[in-house]
Amino acid sequence: MSRSIAVDLHVNGRLRELRVAPHATLLSVLRDQLSLCGAKRGCNQGVCGACTVLLDGDPVRACLSLAANCEQSEITTVEGLAHDGTLAPVQQALIAANAVQCGFCTSGVVLSAHALLARNPTPTVAEVREALSGNLCRCSGYRKIVDAVVGVAGRGS
């Protein structure tokens, strides 16, 4: 029988009291215990960015973050960006620009862009490219993604 530990996680503004394996990643807890499947299990090595979530407003790789180390932090997943059924501006901009194709990378891109716009409401194209450099997309040439983020700049993330 594997041992578990008690972990209190603040996810999308809600306290979640959980029992997790000591080695459980934040990604596995979000997906398997909380059914928040926006963060994707891609490379599972912190390279692709598909598992990106916000930890106290900063993008982190959930596949590399131990859930037990995330206590006392606010975790935001892509599911937590919409309010009262309204998507966040960066989500709306990506849709309007047809900047998503298969969608596998989209939640990580959205959260990285959201974090950038929260820190810098008017980023340059170079700053957007830098902020999204850890989010790999196999479908697009990134142009529409970058254009959408630049387009939403100044209107809120």
Side-chain angles (χ1 to χ4, degrees), residues 36-47:
L36 294 170
C37 296
K40 304 294 187 235
R41 185 173 284 113
C43 68
N44 217 32
Q45 297 176 353
V47 176

Side-chain angles (χ1 to χ4, degrees), residues 18-42:
L18 304 165
R19 300 232 23 115
V20 303
H23 63 275
T25 64
L26 181 57
L27 179 62
S28 64
V29 170
L30 291 172
R31 291 182 62 83
D32 302 337
Q33 289 186 250
L34 299 179
S35 298
L36 294 170
C37 296
K40 304 294 187 235
R41 185 173 284 113

Side-chain angles (χ1 to χ4, degrees), residues 112-126:
S112 293
H114 183 83
L116 168 67
L117 293 168
R119 288 188 315 272
N120 178 1
T122 56
T124 65
V125 169

Side-chain angles (χ1 to χ4, degrees), residues 86-97:
T86 302
L87 295 176
V90 72
Q91 292 171 305
Q92 294 173 11
L94 287 167
I95 292 168

Side-chain angles (χ1 to χ4, degrees), residues 49-120:
C51 67
T52 301
V53 298
L54 301 181
L55 190 67
D56 294 328
D58 294 321
V60 298
R61 301 296 190 258
C63 73
L64 297 179
S65 303
L66 291 177
N69 289 344
C70 296
E71 280 196 305
Q72 309 303 318
S73 296
E74 180 60 40
I75 301 158
T76 305
T77 69
V78 72
E79 294 92 343
L81 290 185
H83 293 286
D84 298 323
T86 302
L87 295 176
V90 72
Q91 292 171 305
Q92 294 173 11
L94 287 167
I95 292 168
N98 290 319
V100 296
Q101 289 184 31
C102 83
F104 195 81
C105 70
T106 304
S107 61
V109 167
V110 164
L111 290 164
S112 293
H114 183 83
L116 168 67
L117 293 168
R119 288 188 315 272
N120 178 1

